[in-house]
């Protein structure tokens, strides 16, 4: 007699993944370092729009890049929200991971960079009032989160993290206040002229300038000491050496923005004192930034010859260099010297080349699944971009 064979119920592993779980699975490996793509994209738009030479079509191209930065920001904010909802365990573990926690400083810098680009570039397309409103929201959120990160991440590093070697990524949580200091003066003219609002914002930016600068001066010595005594970083982390340029170039940019905003806001002689400060501070710091750029560039070329492949750390080539572009642009405006004008042009060309390379390779990595593994990837598979670390490899 024929027996009827009942179909075996599908085991959980045999059942297709639910659509919402499948989508959520793709963001499991989406760390806060991805906000660096927004930072790098926004700074291309800002520096291109303020370049001290006329290039036909550059303003329109900068507007396209600005719009792309807002799209990237919205997409990453949504994806990171899903990351916290569906992979809260991983998100909480990142806070205690000394290799990942410093990248929490990328979120406020992404908000600030996108907001500043909106006011500088986007006002041509959405109107000044709308641009000011968007920048005010993003600046406020970025500043609050940045100040929180500047305290919380160092606290975690001291109390919970166990770190063997200094790393340039230590700068990431202390740089956001400097970004606020550089972009806050753009909002000063739009505050009420009556009352202390303009002066308060400008001096608050100056205070954040000091906060970030002093913290940077604390972090830089052990970072350089680590290089001298421990040798070059692992190949995949070599691009993070460019992170040192971030607080340097951004502080020069901030000093020049103070000089632009101070007249009519601060009483004499402080209103004109910032103009002298912009040059007296900016020129030597820009000189050190160029020294570090050459040093870091030489180490990157060495790492490339040794087989360094693409990782998300390549976005370190964008935003830090972009801050040097805006710093050189400010010095060109303050001094009127052609040397700073052409320095800005040369650095901008380097920035655009780095951004195009990082963007193209990131897009290819996303399409291939190398950067964010698909939900059906083999267990234990890891994203193509290695998780940052501080240990030295041979």
């Amino acid at each position: 007699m024929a027996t009827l064979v009942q179909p075996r119920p599908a085991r959980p592993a045999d059942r297709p993944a639910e659509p919402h779980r499948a989508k959520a699975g793709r963001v499991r490996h989406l760390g806060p370092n991805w906000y660096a793509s927004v930072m790098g994209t926004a700074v291309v738009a800002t520096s291109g729009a303020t370049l001290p030479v006329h290039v036909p079509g550059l303003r329109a191209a900068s507007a396209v890049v600005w719009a792309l930065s807002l799209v990237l920001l919205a997409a990453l904010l949504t994806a990171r929200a899903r990351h916290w909802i569906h992979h809260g365990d991983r998100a909480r573990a990142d806070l205690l991971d000394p290799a990942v926690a410093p990248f929490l400083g990328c979120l406020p810098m992404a908000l600030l960079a996108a907001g500043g680009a909106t006011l500088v570039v986007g006002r041509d397309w959405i109107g000044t009032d709308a641009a000011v409103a968007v920048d005010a929201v993003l600046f406020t959120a970025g500043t609050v989160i940045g100040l929180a990160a500047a305290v919380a991440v160092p606290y975690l590093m001291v109390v919970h993290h166990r770190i063997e070697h200094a790393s340039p990524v230590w700068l990431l949580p202390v740089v956001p206040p400097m970004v606020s200091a550089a972009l806050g003066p753009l909002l000063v003219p739009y505050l009420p002229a009556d009352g202390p609002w303009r002066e308060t914002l400008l001096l608050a930016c100056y205070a954040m300038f000091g906060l970030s600068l002093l913290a940077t001066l604390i972090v830089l010595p052990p970072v350089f000491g680590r290089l001298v005594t421990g040798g070059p970083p692992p190949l995949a982390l070599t691009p993070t050496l460019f992170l040192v340029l971030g607080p340097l170039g951004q502080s020069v940019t901030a000093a020049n923005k103070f000089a632009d905003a101070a007249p009519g806001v601060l009483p004499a002689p402080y209103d004109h004192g910032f103009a002298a400060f912009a040059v007296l501070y900016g020129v030597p710091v820009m000189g050190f930034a160029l020294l570090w750029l050459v040093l870091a560039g030489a180490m990157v070329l060495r790492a490339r010859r040794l087989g360094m492949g693409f990782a998300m750390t390549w976005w370190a080539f964008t935003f830090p260099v972009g801050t040097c572009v805006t710093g050189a642009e400010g010095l060109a405006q303050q001094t009127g010297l052609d040397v700073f004008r052409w320095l800005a042009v040369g650095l901008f060309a380097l920035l655009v080349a780095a951004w195009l390379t990082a963007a193209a390779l990131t897009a290819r990595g996303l399409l291939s699944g190398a950067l964010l593994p698909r939900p059906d990837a083999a267990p234990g598979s890891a994203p193509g971009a290695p998780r940052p670390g501080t240990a030295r490899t041979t």
Side-chain angles (χ1 to χ4, degrees):
M1 296 177 58
T3 58
L4 296 177
V5 179
Q6 298 294 332
R8 176 177 59 87
R11 293 177 299 177
D14 298 331
R15 297 191 185 106
E18 298 178 17
H20 72 280
R21 291 186 180 274
K23 293 179 180 179
R26 293 186 63 86
V27 301
R28 178 169 179 81
H29 299 288
L30 187 72
N33 59 317
W34 280 77
Y35 285 114
S37 62
V38 178
M39 298 159 52
T41 303
V43 80
V44 170
T46 302
S47 57
T50 55
L51 202 66
V53 296
H54 176 69
V55 179
L58 182 57
R59 184 84 183 185
S62 298
V64 174
V65 178
W66 156 73
L68 177 60
S69 71
L70 289 186
V71 172
L72 288 174
L73 178 62
L76 283 173
L77 288 174
T78 303
R80 283 289 293 172
R82 294 179 63 85
H83 177 78
W84 273 96
I85 294 172
H86 297 286
H87 304 289
D89 57 335
R90 177 68 177 266
R92 288 186 293 271
D94 287 345
L95 296 176
L96 302 181
D97 188 338
V100 179
F103 288 93
L104 294 174
C106 292
L107 168 59
M109 287 190 284
L111 295 171
L112 292 164
T118 300
L119 188 55
V120 172
V121 185
R123 64 183 179 185
D124 295 343
W125 304 89
I126 63 175
T128 299
D129 292 341
V132 170
V134 171
D135 187 27
V137 171
L138 294 179
F139 174 80
T140 302
T143 299
V144 172
I145 299 174
L147 290 173
V151 175
V153 176
Y155 174 84
L156 292 173
M157 292 171 66
V158 172
V159 176
H160 294 287
H161 299 167
R162 295 297 175 261
I163 306 173
E164 297 181 0
H165 302 292
S167 169
V169 300
W170 288 9
L171 291 166
L172 289 172
V174 300
V175 174
M178 186 65 78
V179 181
S180 294
L183 296 176
L186 297 177
L187 288 169
V188 168
Y190 301 101
L191 292 176
D194 298 331
W197 302 106
R198 294 184 177 183
E199 184 176 358
T200 299
L201 176 58
L202 186 58
L203 291 181
C205 291
Y206 190 39
M208 289 187 287
F209 171 92
L211 181 161
S212 183
L213 178 62
L214 294 176
T216 298
L217 294 178
I218 294 174
V219 173
L220 279 182
V223 169
F224 184 72
R226 158 69 178 84
L227 293 175
V228 173
T229 60
L235 297 182
L237 296 179
T238 303
T240 62
L241 293 173
F242 274 69
L243 295 176
V244 175
L245 297 174
L248 300 176
Q250 199 68 278
S251 65
V252 176
T253 302
N256 286 288
K257 295 303 181 185
F258 296 155
D260 293 340
V265 175
L266 297 180
Y270 307 110
D271 54 347
H272 298 294
F274 271 114
F277 175 73
V279 177
L280 295 177
Y281 172 86
V283 172
V285 173
M286 181 59 68
F288 178 71
L290 294 177
L291 181 150
W292 191 273
L293 174 63
V294 175
L295 176 64
M299 292 190 187
V300 167
L301 292 177
R302 170 189 174 275
R304 187 63 174 163
R305 288 196 304 269
L306 294 176
M308 180 187 72
F310 173 73
M312 287 299 292
T313 51
W314 282 37
W315 282 98
F317 298 141
T318 57
F319 186 76
V321 174
T323 65
C324 293
V325 177
T326 55
E329 291 171 349
L331 288 175
Q333 178 181 347
Q334 297 298 327
T335 64
L337 294 177
D338 288 340
V339 63
F340 291 114
R341 183 175 296 109
W342 292 112
L343 174 62
V345 173
L347 290 174
F348 181 71
L350 178 62
L351 168 63
V352 171
W355 178 75
L356 289 173
T357 301
L361 293 177
T362 300
R364 187 175 70 177
L366 285 173
L367 293 175
S368 67
L371 292 179
L372 294 179
R374 295 180 176 85
D376 56 353
S381 60
R387 289 168 67 84
T390 54
R392 182 186 179 193
T393 59
T394 58

